[in-house]
Amino acid sequence: MESDYGVPRDLSPLQKSRSIYHPELPPCLQGTTVRVEFGDATTVADSAGAHAISQSFPHTYGQRLVHFLRPTAKVHGAQVISDLPAMRVGVVFCGRQSPGGHNVVWGLHEALKIHNPAKRRILLGFLGGSEGLFAQRTLEITDNILSTYKNQGGYDLLGRTKDQIRTQEQVNAAMAACNALKLDGLVIIGGVTSNTDAAQLAETFAEGKCSTKVVGVPVTLNGDLKNQFVEANVGFDTICKVNSQLISNVCTDALSAEKYYYFIRLMGRKASHVALECTLQSHPNMVILAEEVAASNLTIFDLTKQICDAIQARAEQEKYHGVILLPEGLIESIPEVYALLQEIHSLLRRGVSVDKISTQLSPWASALFDFLPPFIRKQLLLYPESDDSAQLSQIEIEKLLAELVEAEMNKRQKEGSYKGKKFNAICHFFGYQARGSLPSKFDCDYAYVLGHICYHILAAGLNGYMATVTNLKNPSNKWRCGAAPITAMLSIKHDGRAMTIGKPLVHPATVDLRGKVYELLRQNARKLLLDDIYRNPGPLQFEAPGVDSRVVSLCVEDLDYMGRIKELNEYLDKVRSIVKPGCSQDVVKAALSAMSSVTSILSVMSSNGSSA
């Protein structure tokens, strides 16, 4: 019901305490002026797709990087905006709810107040996600409305729907709403799909001479909106910490009873970031990453054998318990199951009824379908999501693997190759339990800062940008705030398995199997499997020790891309200051030799599409 949006919440004592917490702003966002440094024009990481992307986004491709500066910064050419006009801004939640989303709205509202104290400024929240945007259903955001939503979980301030802004009809409806409401800016809060839509919307608005500027904010519990410019997503920190405590509780239960194997599926869509991070925090015995399975083309039978071999190795140490984590995207990474899903989805899109699907599958697909347990067959027949992926949250891969493992262990026991105790499994899906949690202090701070950055982007008159913060593993007073064109984050998939070949998208970042975080997992995999080194990080901390802890992956990864860009520019400036007309021939020759070598190497790397 629309009348339920924005109503005061009945807060518990802890919620009341959290509602009065006020995040600190980094120095670059403090004060009543907006200080902007424009960097170089951007490109895309995959040079092979640069031409196609520039053709698709002629008005917003190649825009410059933006850095916001602290008051004491002395940067040549920086723009200081002090005469800030009254502003009308709309904000919309797109995609699945993620802890911290409300603080983006709060930060944006606070920035409007700080920078326009004597002028009429309006922040309109669209009710019910993108559907509310199309229908122009709004709620004016005020201090009173925000009072019980600050630092709180969920998206119930404004609500959301099955959100997309993709078809021409939807884009036209969004533009009509922005024109009718005379919006100076539209802030879209969401993940990879929502920010792809934001990029297209910004381009269409620019082409149509619509004065509304579009800004994206990286908010997704999946943690898969990561690239050179975006180090982390709002909500990921909370989700991993809450899930890790639940997993740790299960680990303690397993160690106490010593007779159950727990198969735990974790939310996170196609990428396995949540499962990997929770493994590093809670130390279960085993995790199977979707990226590993896809890279090695492991079949469902390979996975069954892998798990059974692990169980047998533990049984040799008289251990008949354990905890195994599975990402929800695992089902689509298994090659034969993925191919089966593609056949099913094709038939569903052609209007074939569910009860007739099995009769129209190819022979091999039909054989696999008949082999699977009835509950999995029913779940695979669910209509696909808008991006043609399966309804991952509804497919119980953990129960499927538990059944197959039980059958294999019984077979081994009967054959005499396994002499241990009977295998017993308990299955869980941890998804909805965590995504409505109170946000962690990190997510509260990060989201609030991103809200302020959204205002700075709009004040600078920028369109098609995403709010960014880097140096996130350090205290917030050292965070670097800026904005990057969303078009610089687009790429074109060349993977034959993708349904969107040739279309520029912000694609989800998967776990890097050559990265430091994955390497940390591999180094400890044997010990995790056999030694029961379970670790309990405890519940979310808001004041006690650990309140400022970061997720392991953020601390391990070397992510300061924007810092390196600035450092590189400083070196280039030094070269320019040294190599001037009148300097010695030897200096010029040395500079030419060095620069020739560097550009040759970079040209080769760029042509190979390297983003290392």
PDB file of all heavy atoms in Angstrom, residues 10 39 98 114 156 170 192 264 303 308 317 325 374 384 395 401 410 435 451 455 464 578:
ATOM      1  N   ASP A  10       8.285   1.682  14.459  1.00  0.00           N
ATOM      2  CA  ASP A  10       8.331   1.428  15.896  1.00  0.00           C
ATOM      3  C   ASP A  10       9.697   0.816  16.185  1.00  0.00           C
ATOM      4  O   ASP A  10       9.930  -0.360  15.882  1.00  0.00           O
ATOM      5  CB  ASP A  10       7.195   0.476  16.296  1.00  0.00           C
ATOM      6  CG  ASP A  10       7.153   0.235  17.798  1.00  0.00           C
ATOM      7  OD1 ASP A  10       7.788   1.007  18.539  1.00  0.00           O
ATOM      8  OD2 ASP A  10       6.488  -0.730  18.225  1.00  0.00           O
ATOM      9  N   GLY A  39      39.697  15.103 -14.119  1.00  0.00           N
ATOM     10  CA  GLY A  39      40.841  14.342 -14.579  1.00  0.00           C
ATOM     11  C   GLY A  39      40.803  14.122 -16.078  1.00  0.00           C
ATOM     12  O   GLY A  39      40.186  14.879 -16.836  1.00  0.00           O
ATOM     13  N   SER A  98      19.180  -3.921  -0.039  1.00  0.00           N
ATOM     14  CA  SER A  98      20.534  -4.141   0.444  1.00  0.00           C
ATOM     15  C   SER A  98      20.762  -3.239   1.651  1.00  0.00           C
ATOM     16  O   SER A  98      20.429  -2.047   1.600  1.00  0.00           O
ATOM     17  CB  SER A  98      21.533  -3.803  -0.673  1.00  0.00           C
ATOM     18  OG  SER A  98      22.829  -4.221  -0.348  1.00  0.00           O
ATOM     19  N   ILE A 114      22.570  21.262   3.445  1.00  0.00           N
ATOM     20  CA  ILE A 114      23.825  21.977   3.750  1.00  0.00           C
ATOM     21  C   ILE A 114      24.157  22.994   2.674  1.00  0.00           C
ATOM     22  O   ILE A 114      24.562  24.129   2.963  1.00  0.00           O
ATOM     23  CB  ILE A 114      24.980  20.966   3.915  1.00  0.00           C
ATOM     24  CG1 ILE A 114      24.787  20.136   5.190  1.00  0.00           C
ATOM     25  CG2 ILE A 114      26.330  21.677   3.937  1.00  0.00           C
ATOM     26  CD1 ILE A 114      25.710  18.941   5.287  1.00  0.00           C
ATOM     27  N   ASP A 156      12.043  -0.195   2.908  1.00  0.00           N
ATOM     28  CA  ASP A 156      10.627   0.085   3.129  1.00  0.00           C
ATOM     29  C   ASP A 156      10.297   1.565   3.221  1.00  0.00           C
ATOM     30  O   ASP A 156       9.126   1.926   3.254  1.00  0.00           O
ATOM     31  CB  ASP A 156      10.117  -0.650   4.370  1.00  0.00           C
ATOM     32  CG  ASP A 156      10.996  -0.430   5.597  1.00  0.00           C
ATOM     33  OD1 ASP A 156      12.227  -0.478   5.458  1.00  0.00           O
ATOM     34  OD2 ASP A 156      10.451  -0.220   6.691  1.00  0.00           O
ATOM     35  N   GLN A 170       9.587   2.103 -21.250  1.00  0.00           N
ATOM     36  CA  GLN A 170       9.996   2.419 -19.883  1.00  0.00           C
ATOM     37  C   GLN A 170      10.889   3.657 -19.836  1.00  0.00           C
ATOM     38  O   GLN A 170      10.736   4.514 -18.957  1.00  0.00           O
ATOM     39  CB  GLN A 170      10.720   1.217 -19.271  1.00  0.00           C
ATOM     40  CG  GLN A 170       9.811   0.031 -18.999  1.00  0.00           C
ATOM     41  CD  GLN A 170      10.583  -1.226 -18.653  1.00  0.00           C
ATOM     42  OE1 GLN A 170      11.763  -1.372 -19.004  1.00  0.00           O
ATOM     43  NE2 GLN A 170       9.932  -2.152 -17.967  1.00  0.00           N
ATOM     44  N   VAL A 192      24.413  -3.967 -10.779  1.00  0.00           N
ATOM     45  CA  VAL A 192      24.925  -3.924 -12.154  1.00  0.00           C
ATOM     46  C   VAL A 192      23.818  -3.648 -13.169  1.00  0.00           C
ATOM     47  O   VAL A 192      23.994  -2.842 -14.089  1.00  0.00           O
ATOM     48  CB  VAL A 192      25.678  -5.234 -12.498  1.00  0.00           C
ATOM     49  CG1 VAL A 192      26.978  -5.331 -11.748  1.00  0.00           C
ATOM     50  CG2 VAL A 192      24.823  -6.463 -12.224  1.00  0.00           C
ATOM     51  N   ILE A 264      25.084 -25.365   3.113  1.00  0.00           N
ATOM     52  CA  ILE A 264      24.516 -24.020   3.253  1.00  0.00           C
ATOM     53  C   ILE A 264      24.667 -23.264   1.940  1.00  0.00           C
ATOM     54  O   ILE A 264      25.780 -23.034   1.470  1.00  0.00           O
ATOM     55  CB  ILE A 264      25.208 -23.236   4.384  1.00  0.00           C
ATOM     56  CG1 ILE A 264      25.058 -23.981   5.712  1.00  0.00           C
ATOM     57  CG2 ILE A 264      24.626 -21.827   4.491  1.00  0.00           C
ATOM     58  CD1 ILE A 264      25.809 -23.337   6.865  1.00  0.00           C
ATOM     59  N   LEU A 303      31.289 -32.801  -9.004  1.00  0.00           N
ATOM     60  CA  LEU A 303      31.093 -32.128  -7.722  1.00  0.00           C
ATOM     61  C   LEU A 303      30.719 -33.127  -6.630  1.00  0.00           C
ATOM     62  O   LEU A 303      31.199 -33.033  -5.493  1.00  0.00           O
ATOM     63  CB  LEU A 303      29.993 -31.062  -7.844  1.00  0.00           C
ATOM     64  CG  LEU A 303      30.311 -29.852  -8.709  1.00  0.00           C
ATOM     65  CD1 LEU A 303      29.101 -28.918  -8.771  1.00  0.00           C
ATOM     66  CD2 LEU A 303      31.515 -29.103  -8.162  1.00  0.00           C
ATOM     67  N   CYS A 308      32.277 -36.074  -1.770  1.00  0.00           N
ATOM     68  CA  CYS A 308      32.381 -37.399  -1.145  1.00  0.00           C
ATOM     69  C   CYS A 308      33.826 -37.728  -0.757  1.00  0.00           C
ATOM     70  O   CYS A 308      34.079 -38.298   0.319  1.00  0.00           O
ATOM     71  CB  CYS A 308      31.843 -38.476  -2.086  1.00  0.00           C
ATOM     72  SG  CYS A 308      30.046 -38.431  -2.279  1.00  0.00           S
ATOM     73  N   GLN A 317      39.887 -39.488   9.796  1.00  0.00           N
ATOM     74  CA  GLN A 317      40.316 -38.868  11.048  1.00  0.00           C
ATOM     75  C   GLN A 317      39.213 -38.959  12.114  1.00  0.00           C
ATOM     76  O   GLN A 317      39.235 -38.227  13.102  1.00  0.00           O
ATOM     77  CB  GLN A 317      40.693 -37.398  10.823  1.00  0.00           C
ATOM     78  CG  GLN A 317      41.865 -37.187   9.898  1.00  0.00           C
ATOM     79  CD  GLN A 317      42.305 -35.719   9.856  1.00  0.00           C
ATOM     80  OE1 GLN A 317      41.777 -34.862  10.558  1.00  0.00           O
ATOM     81  NE2 GLN A 317      43.304 -35.426   9.029  1.00  0.00           N
ATOM     82  N   LEU A 325      29.820 -24.671   2.157  1.00  0.00           N
ATOM     83  CA  LEU A 325      29.138 -23.488   1.623  1.00  0.00           C
ATOM     84  C   LEU A 325      29.012 -23.592   0.106  1.00  0.00           C
ATOM     85  O   LEU A 325      29.943 -24.033  -0.583  1.00  0.00           O
ATOM     86  CB  LEU A 325      29.907 -22.209   1.975  1.00  0.00           C
ATOM     87  CG  LEU A 325      30.147 -21.904   3.450  1.00  0.00           C
ATOM     88  CD1 LEU A 325      30.717 -20.495   3.605  1.00  0.00           C
ATOM     89  CD2 LEU A 325      28.887 -22.067   4.272  1.00  0.00           C
ATOM     90  N   PRO A 374      12.536 -34.895  -8.353  1.00  0.00           N
ATOM     91  CA  PRO A 374      11.332 -34.130  -8.727  1.00  0.00           C
ATOM     92  C   PRO A 374      11.338 -32.686  -8.252  1.00  0.00           C
ATOM     93  O   PRO A 374      10.892 -31.799  -8.980  1.00  0.00           O
ATOM     94  CB  PRO A 374      10.194 -34.932  -8.079  1.00  0.00           C
ATOM     95  CG  PRO A 374      10.713 -36.329  -7.990  1.00  0.00           C
ATOM     96  CD  PRO A 374      12.174 -36.193  -7.737  1.00  0.00           C
ATOM     97  N   PRO A 384      12.292 -17.721 -16.208  1.00  0.00           N
ATOM     98  CA  PRO A 384      13.560 -17.043 -15.921  1.00  0.00           C
ATOM     99  C   PRO A 384      13.384 -15.573 -15.557  1.00  0.00           C
ATOM    100  O   PRO A 384      12.335 -14.972 -15.805  1.00  0.00           O
ATOM    101  CB  PRO A 384      14.347 -17.191 -17.228  1.00  0.00           C
ATOM    102  CG  PRO A 384      13.300 -17.358 -18.281  1.00  0.00           C
ATOM    103  CD  PRO A 384      12.191 -18.123 -17.620  1.00  0.00           C
ATOM    104  N   ILE A 395      16.145 -22.278  -6.454  1.00  0.00           N
ATOM    105  CA  ILE A 395      16.657 -23.594  -6.852  1.00  0.00           C
ATOM    106  C   ILE A 395      17.565 -24.135  -5.746  1.00  0.00           C
ATOM    107  O   ILE A 395      18.623 -23.573  -5.467  1.00  0.00           O
ATOM    108  CB  ILE A 395      17.417 -23.510  -8.187  1.00  0.00           C
ATOM    109  CG1 ILE A 395      16.471 -23.004  -9.284  1.00  0.00           C
ATOM    110  CG2 ILE A 395      17.989 -24.868  -8.573  1.00  0.00           C
ATOM    111  CD1 ILE A 395      17.119 -22.806 -10.633  1.00  0.00           C
ATOM    112  N   LEU A 401      22.698 -31.581  -4.089  1.00  0.00           N
ATOM    113  CA  LEU A 401      24.021 -32.147  -3.814  1.00  0.00           C
ATOM    114  C   LEU A 401      23.985 -33.061  -2.596  1.00  0.00           C
ATOM    115  O   LEU A 401      24.643 -34.110  -2.576  1.00  0.00           O
ATOM    116  CB  LEU A 401      25.038 -31.022  -3.620  1.00  0.00           C
ATOM    117  CG  LEU A 401      25.495 -30.323  -4.900  1.00  0.00           C
ATOM    118  CD1 LEU A 401      26.379 -29.126  -4.595  1.00  0.00           C
ATOM    119  CD2 LEU A 401      26.237 -31.302  -5.814  1.00  0.00           C
ATOM    120  N   ASN A 410      26.430 -43.993   0.382  1.00  0.00           N
ATOM    121  CA  ASN A 410      25.801 -45.285   0.639  1.00  0.00           C
ATOM    122  C   ASN A 410      26.360 -46.354  -0.298  1.00  0.00           C
ATOM    123  O   ASN A 410      26.586 -47.512   0.102  1.00  0.00           O
ATOM    124  CB  ASN A 410      24.288 -45.190   0.476  1.00  0.00           C
ATOM    125  CG  ASN A 410      23.633 -44.392   1.593  1.00  0.00           C
ATOM    126  OD1 ASN A 410      24.222 -44.226   2.667  1.00  0.00           O
ATOM    127  ND2 ASN A 410      22.412 -43.912   1.353  1.00  0.00           N
ATOM    128  N   ARG A 435      19.566  -9.893   4.404  1.00  0.00           N
ATOM    129  CA  ARG A 435      19.483  -8.688   3.587  1.00  0.00           C
ATOM    130  C   ARG A 435      18.593  -7.604   4.197  1.00  0.00           C
ATOM    131  O   ARG A 435      18.628  -6.459   3.755  1.00  0.00           O
ATOM    132  CB  ARG A 435      19.033  -9.025   2.166  1.00  0.00           C
ATOM    133  CG  ARG A 435      17.586  -9.398   1.991  1.00  0.00           C
ATOM    134  CD  ARG A 435      17.317  -9.710   0.522  1.00  0.00           C
ATOM    135  NE  ARG A 435      15.900  -9.818   0.245  1.00  0.00           N
ATOM    136  CZ  ARG A 435      15.384 -10.100  -0.938  1.00  0.00           C
ATOM    137  NH1 ARG A 435      16.195 -10.306  -1.966  1.00  0.00           N
ATOM    138  NH2 ARG A 435      14.087 -10.162  -1.128  1.00  0.00           N
ATOM    139  N   GLY A 451      25.674   9.264  -0.719  1.00  0.00           N
ATOM    140  CA  GLY A 451      24.554  10.192  -0.886  1.00  0.00           C
ATOM    141  C   GLY A 451      25.023  11.614  -1.058  1.00  0.00           C
ATOM    142  O   GLY A 451      24.518  12.362  -1.908  1.00  0.00           O
ATOM    143  N   TYR A 455      24.975  14.497  -4.569  1.00  0.00           N
ATOM    144  CA  TYR A 455      24.691  15.930  -4.663  1.00  0.00           C
ATOM    145  C   TYR A 455      25.843  16.656  -5.358  1.00  0.00           C
ATOM    146  O   TYR A 455      25.617  17.520  -6.228  1.00  0.00           O
ATOM    147  CB  TYR A 455      24.460  16.547  -3.285  1.00  0.00           C
ATOM    148  CG  TYR A 455      24.315  18.051  -3.377  1.00  0.00           C
ATOM    149  CD1 TYR A 455      23.095  18.628  -3.706  1.00  0.00           C
ATOM    150  CD2 TYR A 455      25.420  18.896  -3.214  1.00  0.00           C
ATOM    151  CE1 TYR A 455      22.965  19.998  -3.854  1.00  0.00           C
ATOM    152  CE2 TYR A 455      25.297  20.264  -3.358  1.00  0.00           C
ATOM    153  CZ  TYR A 455      24.066  20.814  -3.674  1.00  0.00           C
ATOM    154  OH  TYR A 455      23.950  22.175  -3.836  1.00  0.00           O
ATOM    155  N   GLY A 464      25.280  10.861 -16.159  1.00  0.00           N
ATOM    156  CA  GLY A 464      25.778   9.537 -16.507  1.00  0.00           C
ATOM    157  C   GLY A 464      26.975   9.117 -15.687  1.00  0.00           C
ATOM    158  O   GLY A 464      27.791   8.314 -16.150  1.00  0.00           O
ATOM    159  N   ILE A 578      60.560  18.594 -16.273  1.00  0.00           N
ATOM    160  CA  ILE A 578      61.992  18.386 -16.504  1.00  0.00           C
ATOM    161  C   ILE A 578      62.342  18.527 -17.982  1.00  0.00           C
ATOM    162  O   ILE A 578      63.337  19.180 -18.356  1.00  0.00           O
ATOM    163  CB  ILE A 578      62.405  16.985 -15.987  1.00  0.00           C
ATOM    164  CG1 ILE A 578      62.254  16.920 -14.462  1.00  0.00           C
ATOM    165  CG2 ILE A 578      63.847  16.670 -16.386  1.00  0.00           C
ATOM    166  CD1 ILE A 578      62.428  15.521 -13.896  1.00  0.00           C
TER     167      ILE A 578
END
